Amino acid sequence: MWFSRRQQRNSLQAPVAGTHTAMPAATSPQQVGVLAVQPTSQVINAPLDGDIISLSPSSLVINSLSGHYIELRIDTPYFQNTCDWQVRVGDSVSPLTILGTLSGSLDGVTIAVYRLNRIQASGSITLASN
């Protein structure tokens, strides 16, 4: 009987249905823009497999299975647009996981995915305790 080791698949997928658009400006030098989408759907899925390590009203950070930190950020010109997150810090997610749903108009909304080169100890990212 042979056992095969399952390879970790770490491909990035678009978190929402929509059209690709230009990357919004990064808010820190540690961010590398990967993907930006103007959503046509209000459902946000996880872009890859990993664990939620930070959550705020407009962004979340996933520690991927390969050890990369991926930030998903909602950029919107309107303050009434919010996201109802369906996950919590410490949850394991996959591309089939619904992270949350957007409320309000989708006009001008961009979902941006960034790779973080390192995590600052500024308190902006909360690590889940085991």
Side-chain angles (χ1 to χ4, degrees):
M1 178 184 257
W2 294 94
F3 293 100
S4 64
R5 184 172 181 209
R6 190 181 88 155
Q7 285 186 304
Q8 292 181 355
R9 217 179 88 206
N10 200 32
S11 61
L12 188 73
Q13 299 180 8
V16 292
T19 56
H20 291 271
T21 187
M23 283 297 300
T27 57
S28 78
Q30 287 81 25
Q31 291 179 327
V32 177
V34 178
L35 174 71
V37 177
Q38 269 188 316
T40 56
S41 169
Q42 295 182 321
V43 176
I44 302 173
N45 292 315
L48 71 168
D49 296 316
D51 297 318
I52 304 292
I53 61 169
S54 172
L55 192 60
S56 74
S58 63
S59 69
L60 60 82
V61 177
I62 299 172
N63 183 9
S64 71
L65 293 179
S66 65
H68 293 100
Y69 296 103
I70 302 295
E71 179 182 14
L72 188 140
R73 189 172 79 198
I74 303 167
D75 290 323
T76 178
Y78 310 110
F79 291 109
Q80 67 267 23
N81 287 68
T82 59
C83 184
D84 179 24
W85 296 116
Q86 304 296 316
V87 293
R88 292 182 263 170
V89 173
D91 286 354
S92 292
V93 296
S94 75
L96 297 176
T97 305
I98 295 175
L99 297 178
T101 54
L102 294 166
S103 62
S105 172
L106 296 179
D107 292 337
V109 174
T110 301
I111 307 295
V113 179
Y114 298 92
R115 182 175 50 85
L116 302 176
N117 289 332
R118 63 184 167 144
I119 293 187
Q120 297 175 326
S122 65
S124 62
I125 295 178
T126 306
L127 295 176
S129 59
N130 290 335

